[in-house]
Amino acid sequence: MVWIRLCISDIAFLSAAGSISYGLTRLAGRILRVENPVLLLALQKLTLILYWLPVSFACVCIPRISFENGVRAYTGEFVCSSVPSMTVVFLILGIVWLAGFWLSVVRDGIKICRLAKLLRGNVPVQDARYLDLFEACRRRAGVGGVTLSQNDLLCSPVTAGLVRKQLILPFADYTDRELHMIYEHELMHIKKGDLSWRIFALVTSWIHWFNPVIYPLMREMDCLQEMICDLSISIDNAHYTKKEYAAFLVRLTDQNAGNVYTTALTENKSQTIRRIEIMAKTKSFSKPKRWMTGISCACLAVMSMIPATAVSAEAARLQEDWLRAEEVETIEEPQSHWDPTIEEHGYDDGSVVEIDGSQDIAPYSSTVDLEKTINANTRYLYQYRSMSVGETIDITAKCDDCAITYKIGIKNQKTGEMVSVSGNGTLRHEFKISESGTYTAFVENNNNFPIKISGAAVY
């Protein structure tokens, strides 16, 4: 069940990165006085993307995977190991996450079905004035593939559809000025692909339903999209003034006018007030330079990923400590304790047959199972691992016949030097690495008959 733990860990790491990014974006808006909605929206979109990019998860896993002797090896339990208590905990977490995910999908699926049912009442616009103005605004905006419909169940104009885009009007008598406001605003949403980003945010909220930060992010992104459309069309417009546009927003304010599956000219009172305040104090609207937006996004990504990766690395380390603690508890306590000063150092003198069993052992953990029947006068080598000075290989081995003497030890692949201890029954010894290199644990049987060994070597 390792994959469940890795999936849950990955989702948690992604949530941490997205939350840190959102917090930094809000700080930039308040402390650094970053107020340009275009720049803020770009940062919010980057934050949304960070909820999907497993950078911190990769930074934790990649250093724990290496290739030794042409075989993939894992040097950390985080990547490949599990213990009973951890399996139970992450299985419960996985079930809880999956339940929350499907509840979110079902909840929003019901809303989508209601919207689809509502949109079935759309009828083509017949008024020539409405159609002529729409065609003129559509050509001026450079947007194609949009149809104009009316629906008697709507109170405010909305735009819906990812592929077949529709601008839907309620059955109301609008002036030419009001039609310009509606058409230009909604066509600006379509031109910028705002609805696609809203759907992307919605799917992200399904995966990270447990993270309360994702919901204000979605609301903030929606509001910034509306602000950009307002400022893009209301400043220096030949057909209406900012005051007229603001008054029209107030008149259309409707709590139920829009949702995440549509874009609406106005949605709720608090958002409308904020949009009007921004329009009132904005004399001219200019987009930031692309290089400035790029640098800002790059800085945000770096500033978010550094702490997110540090948090992820610490979480992985805690999981490995949990794994090792339980693995040590499951290893039988040794029956004999041996003085580390009796370590024997030497090289292969040909007195026994040496068998390299590293290719036969699945390198999926830093803990290697020693269970093996060792033939007479045979030294059996287990898994090779790259080790650094100061690291240790802890070997615990047991022979069922307590009268049989055998050896446990480590061997340097490059120099051939071996360090071992000998004894009978259960042997346990911690071998400290004095020279960086590639080492293997081994069990040596110097008897004229085979012996059966069990135990583990922890690298």
Side-chain angles (χ1 to χ4, degrees), residues 368-401:
V368 175
D369 187 0
L370 301 183
E371 185 169 352
K372 193 76 178 176
T373 297
I374 313 295
N375 292 330
N377 298 307
T378 299
R379 181 188 305 117
Y380 189 88
L381 307 181
Y382 291 86
Q383 187 62 46
Y384 279 104
R385 292 291 166 80
S386 294
M387 307 290 289
S388 301
V389 174
E391 293 183 330
T392 60
I393 300 178
D394 190 352
I395 303 176
T396 299
K398 178 183 178 181
C399 180
D400 290 335
D401 189 340

Side-chain angles (χ1 to χ4, degrees), residues 395-415:
I395 303 176
T396 299
K398 178 183 178 181
C399 180
D400 290 335
D401 189 340
C402 296
I404 296 175
T405 301
Y406 63 99
K407 290 182 180 180
I408 60 172
I410 61 173
K411 181 177 180 179
N412 187 317
Q413 185 181 36
K414 181 179 180 181
T415 65

Side-chain angles (χ1 to χ4, degrees), residues 181 241-252 276 279:
M181 295 177 190
T241 64
K242 286 196 298 183
K243 285 186 177 181
E244 291 172 330
Y245 182 78
F248 187 56
L249 285 181
V250 173
R251 185 158 67 87
L252 283 181
I276 292 173
M279 278 194 295

Side-chain angles (χ1 to χ4, degrees), residues 346-358 360 374-382 384 409-419 440-446:
Y347 295 86
D348 186 3
D349 57 7
S351 60
V352 296
V353 176
E354 185 172 89
I355 297 178
D356 184 358
S358 61
D360 301 327
I374 313 295
N375 292 330
N377 298 307
T378 299
R379 181 188 305 117
Y380 189 88
L381 307 181
Y382 291 86
Y384 279 104
I410 61 173
K411 181 177 180 179
N412 187 317
Q413 185 181 36
K414 181 179 180 181
T415 65
E417 182 183 7
M418 294 183 292
V419 182
T440 179
F442 69 81
V443 176
E444 184 175 316
N445 176 16
N446 299 109

Side-chain angles (χ1 to χ4, degrees), residues 327-341:
E327 284 173 348
V328 169
E329 289 176 1
T330 59
I331 298 175
E332 185 176 354
E333 286 298 321
Q335 298 173 358
S336 303
H337 298 274
W338 298 92
D339 188 342
T341 58

Side-chain angles (χ1 to χ4, degrees), residues 176-193:
D176 288 358
R177 179 184 295 111
E178 291 170 343
L179 286 174
H180 273 100
M181 295 177 190
I182 295 170
Y183 293 156
E184 290 176 356
H185 182 97
E186 296 303 327
L187 289 170
M188 184 62 67
H189 274 306
I190 294 172
K191 186 176 182 179
K192 293 182 177 298

Side-chain angles (χ1 to χ4, degrees), residues 159-172:
T159 297
L162 285 174
V163 180
R164 299 175 58 186
K165 297 178 177 63
Q166 301 179 72
L167 200 165
I168 310 165
L169 303 173
F171 280 92

Side-chain angles (χ1 to χ4, degrees), residues 33 82 113 126 146 239 311:
R33 302 296 181 184
S82 187
C113 291
Q126 302 295 330
V146 185
H239 301 285
V311 170

